Amino acid sequence: MRSIFIIVLLFSIPFFVVEASAQSENGIDEASLYLEKRTAELNKYINRADRIQGKLLRRLQRKEERMMARLAAKDSIAYKQYMHRAPSFDSIAALSKDTTDLARMTKWRNATIDSLKGIQQFMHNQGNKLSTLDGISGQALPGGDYSGKIAELQGKLNAEQQVKDLIRQRTQSLEQMARSAGIPGLIGLQKDIYYAQEKMNAWRSVADDPDAAEEKAMENLQGIEGFESYIGNNKIGLGSGVSAADLQNMGYQTKGQVQQMLSEKFGSLQVVQQAMQGQIKDFSDRLGKVTDKVKEVSNLAQDARQGLQEAKATKDKLKHIEKPAFHKNPERGKPFWLRLETQYNFQTTRATPDGLRPAMVELGVGIAFKHTPSLSYGIGIGASIGLGQDWQHIRLSYEGITARVYTDWKLLYGFSLQAGYERALRPAGRAYLEENSNDPQSATSSGNTLKQAFGGQQEAAYLGIMKRYRISSKWSGTFMAGYNFLWQQSNLRTPFMIRLGWGK
């Protein structure tokens, strides 16, 4: 029986070795893929942020020069005093080009960088396991070493944050000067800084949004045993396999060092503990006598804290009552393509009783630009398809294309007011067109192909109420009821229009 167990064990060892080796290789590949994509996205964000900051600083320099010229003409003494304050925007612009010097000024902790360091440490751990299984020591880390890239990213992010802080300090100095001296131009400067920061935040959100490959890589990594310890609560990139000696070499104080220091200073820790227990008992007896007084003081302190909280709440309410220096538009900070909304819609019209105009279905698509969270305006295109006179006489036909412009003003509870203008290019010679209504035989008139396809025109100008409703987590539907002011010129049966649509 014992020999059978040994044989099974010997046959099982290669299987476990192969499985562990495959898991280590898979972990290294997935971690390498994730780090490659994350570092690339962060580099794109940093390049965009540098361009935004550079453009912002150039605008701030021009505005600061105009404000300083006004201050010099108004109060030369205040002008000389102000020039010796925080570095000017011109100096900040020159300093922003030296990212190495900026990175050395201050070291900020960054959660993204810490998680990348943790994944890098995980790669090292998997590489060491793979080397142990293969019996090879000193080999290069599979998947590449990202320590240099991560350190470079951290330096660039530190430099970006340092420039932000310098701009904030200079802006505060300008605010104090402008208010005390009555110099105009402060609101325009505040707008530039606010919207530049909003643009940087929007691009950072784009960089932090993972693509399908990143999500898949992270999903596979989370399935590997021990991975969570590197990026979960451990933000400094230390894995669970780090020993006390490794921590000591890295500069951390271990439990053994603390016990040794206490023993050298106080002698045997057991004697110290017994002495401390006696002192604690005596202190507890004395403490019991003043417990009632402490409770009374605690109740008074609680009442005082409650009063402070009420005063703070009142102060916050007063702050909210004050109007901001300028009206903030959240959409201005977003990239252009994030401010676009795509809409798809369709509508139907009935056939006319005289049989000249068939029933139609009009399919359309529009792209709206969000000027503000409430106001958007856009353009669109549509196609008209004829369906025939009725269910017994169905006949599909081409009835032209439509160009559209519209504006949408959001109200409350998903309702919005929409106004638009449309021009339909119909095939020439259609009997239902106004120019051919008295001569149906003109539908057979000859002409070039382009004129036959787009020779006739119809117009529509409408005003309607639109309701948006949720279809799924990504899609929403629209229902619009409107009034067409040019319905008689288009020979329609009714001025009312119903349009259904959907969009993201």
Side-chain angles (χ1 to χ4, degrees):
M1 192 69 182
R2 184 177 180 182
S3 59
I4 295 175
F5 174 75
I6 294 174
I7 294 173
V8 172
L9 182 62
L10 291 175
F11 277 101
S12 301
I13 289 175
F15 172 76
F16 289 119
V17 171
V18 171
E19 184 180 5
S21 177
Q23 188 180 34
S24 298
E25 291 180 357
N26 181 57
I28 293 173
D29 293 339
E30 297 294 344
S32 177
L33 174 63
Y34 184 83
L35 288 175
E36 183 66 30
K37 287 188 169 294
R38 293 305 302 142
T39 53
E41 290 297 326
L42 286 174
N43 272 317
K44 289 181 182 179
Y45 159 73
I46 290 172
N47 293 333
R48 291 188 178 108
D50 288 342
R51 290 195 293 268
I52 295 173
Q53 277 188 340
K55 184 178 179 180
L56 171 64
L57 286 170
R58 288 191 294 270
R59 298 179 68 176
L60 295 179
Q61 288 177 50
R62 294 192 295 267
K63 293 189 176 182
E64 184 183 34
E65 290 174 359
R66 290 195 291 267
M67 296 177 70
M68 291 297 99
R70 295 190 184 100
L71 180 62
K74 191 172 184 179
D75 190 346
S76 59
I77 297 177
Y79 171 77
K80 292 180 180 179
Q81 292 177 349
Y82 183 78
M83 295 303 294
H84 295 288
R85 292 188 182 181
S88 64
F89 290 125
D90 187 22
S91 302
I92 297 173
L95 184 62
S96 65
K97 299 177 182 179
D98 188 2
T99 56
T100 304
D101 190 25
L102 284 171
R104 287 197 299 264
M105 287 184 178
T106 309
K107 297 292 184 181
W108 281 276
R109 290 292 302 275
N110 188 290
T112 302
I113 296 299
D114 289 341
S115 64
L116 295 181
K117 289 180 179 179
I119 297 176
Q120 171 74 4
Q121 186 69 25
F122 170 77
M123 284 181 61
H124 279 287
N125 184 45
Q126 296 297 106
N128 293 333
K129 288 182 180 180
L130 190 62
S131 301
T132 303
L133 293 173
D134 294 341
I136 303 174
S137 59
Q139 68 176 7
L141 179 68
D145 190 358
Y146 289 86
S147 301
K149 291 183 179 180
I150 295 175
E152 183 181 2
L153 284 174
Q154 186 173 16
K156 290 180 178 179
L157 291 174
N158 285 339
E160 175 199 325
Q161 185 62 41
Q162 183 65 28
V163 172
K164 286 182 179 179
D165 288 348
L166 292 174
I167 292 175
R168 177 179 53 79
Q169 294 173 10
R170 185 61 174 179
T171 305
Q172 291 177 350
S173 298
L174 280 173
E175 288 176 352
Q176 295 175 1
M177 181 274 296
R179 291 193 179 98
S180 60
I183 302 297
L186 179 61
I187 294 179
L189 184 141
Q190 292 173 338
K191 283 185 178 181
D192 291 337
I193 296 175
Y194 174 79
Y195 288 121
Q197 292 177 351
E198 287 296 303
K199 288 180 181 179
M200 294 172 65
N201 293 335
W203 282 116
R204 182 58 187 267
S205 299
V206 173
D208 291 339
D209 188 18
D211 58 14
E214 288 180 64
E215 290 182 350
K216 186 66 175 178
M218 180 55 66
E219 181 181 351
N220 293 335
L221 286 172
Q222 289 175 347
I224 298 177
E225 184 180 358
F227 174 73
E228 294 293 339
S229 62
Y230 288 88
I231 63 170
N233 297 325
N234 187 2
K235 292 298 183 182
I236 59 175
L238 298 178
S240 58
V242 179
S243 63
D246 294 333
L247 291 172
Q248 185 174 347
N249 294 331
M250 296 170 70
Y252 293 94
Q253 195 174 43
T254 62
K255 182 179 178 181
Q257 288 179 313
V258 175
Q259 291 180 348
Q260 183 178 358
M261 291 170 58
L262 292 174
S263 299
E264 292 175 355
K265 189 170 184 178
F266 299 105
S268 176
L269 292 180
Q270 186 175 1
V271 176
V272 175
Q273 290 176 354
Q274 292 176 355
M276 291 177 63
Q277 288 176 358
Q279 293 178 1
I280 290 173
K281 185 177 180 181
D282 294 338
F283 179 75
S284 299
D285 294 338
R286 296 177 182 178
L287 185 62
K289 298 179 181 179
V290 296
T291 301
D292 296 336
K293 294 183 179 180
V294 171
K295 288 183 179 179
E296 294 178 1
V297 175
S298 178
N299 293 332
L300 293 174
Q302 186 176 0
D303 294 339
R305 283 196 298 269
Q306 186 176 358
L308 288 174
Q309 290 176 356
E310 293 176 356
K312 184 178 179 181
T314 304
K315 183 180 178 181
D316 292 338
K317 291 180 180 179
L318 293 175
K319 285 184 178 179
H320 290 302
I321 293 174
E322 297 178 358
K323 294 183 179 180
F326 60 93
H327 180 70
K328 299 176 182 179
N329 179 11
E331 298 297 328
R332 282 190 59 181
K334 297 180 182 179
F336 177 79
W337 57 276
L338 286 180
R339 299 174 68 176
L340 299 179
E341 287 183 326
T342 304
Q343 298 179 359
Y344 307 93
N345 53 67
F346 71 94
Q347 69 181 60
T348 60
T349 56
R350 294 186 297 171
T352 56
D354 56 14
L356 298 180
R357 179 187 175 97
M360 292 185 192
V361 58
E362 297 183 6
L363 306 175
V365 58
I367 298 178
F369 175 79
K370 296 183 68 175
H371 182 71
T372 67
S374 300
L375 177 63
S376 60
Y377 37 82
I379 59 175
I381 190 172
S384 301
I385 301 174
L387 303 177
Q389 291 298 317
D390 49 40
W391 290 106
Q392 288 75 26
H393 302 87
I394 296 178
R395 180 175 177 270
L396 299 180
S397 61
Y398 161 75
E399 299 298 333
I401 61 175
T402 305
R404 304 172 176 175
V405 292
Y406 61 93
T407 181
D408 187 270
W409 179 264
K410 292 182 180 179
L411 303 175
L412 297 174
Y413 306 111
F415 288 94
S416 64
L417 183 66
Q418 187 173 114
Y421 173 78
E422 301 178 357
R423 180 181 288 270
L425 302 177
R426 306 293 187 188
R430 286 292 193 265
Y432 57 82
L433 296 178
E434 185 176 1
E435 60 268 21
N436 300 324
S437 58
N438 297 324
D439 186 14
Q441 299 298 325
S442 62
T444 60
S445 60
S446 60
N448 58 49
T449 305
L450 187 61
K451 184 177 180 180
Q452 289 182 356
F454 308 108
Q457 296 186 15
Q458 285 185 328
E459 295 177 307
Y462 67 89
L463 180 66
I465 296 292
M466 177 181 287
K467 176 67 173 73
R468 290 175 171 84
Y469 56 92
R470 178 65 61 184
I471 296 177
S472 65
S473 59
K474 293 184 178 180
W475 293 92
S476 61
T478 60
F479 175 85
M480 190 194 74
Y483 184 90
N484 181 7
F485 297 95
L486 302 178
W487 68 282
Q488 292 179 335
Q489 290 85 335
S490 300
N491 295 325
L492 298 177
R493 295 183 62 176
T494 175
F496 300 103
M497 53 187 295
I498 302 295
R499 182 171 291 175
L500 301 176
W502 64 94
K504 290 187 177 180

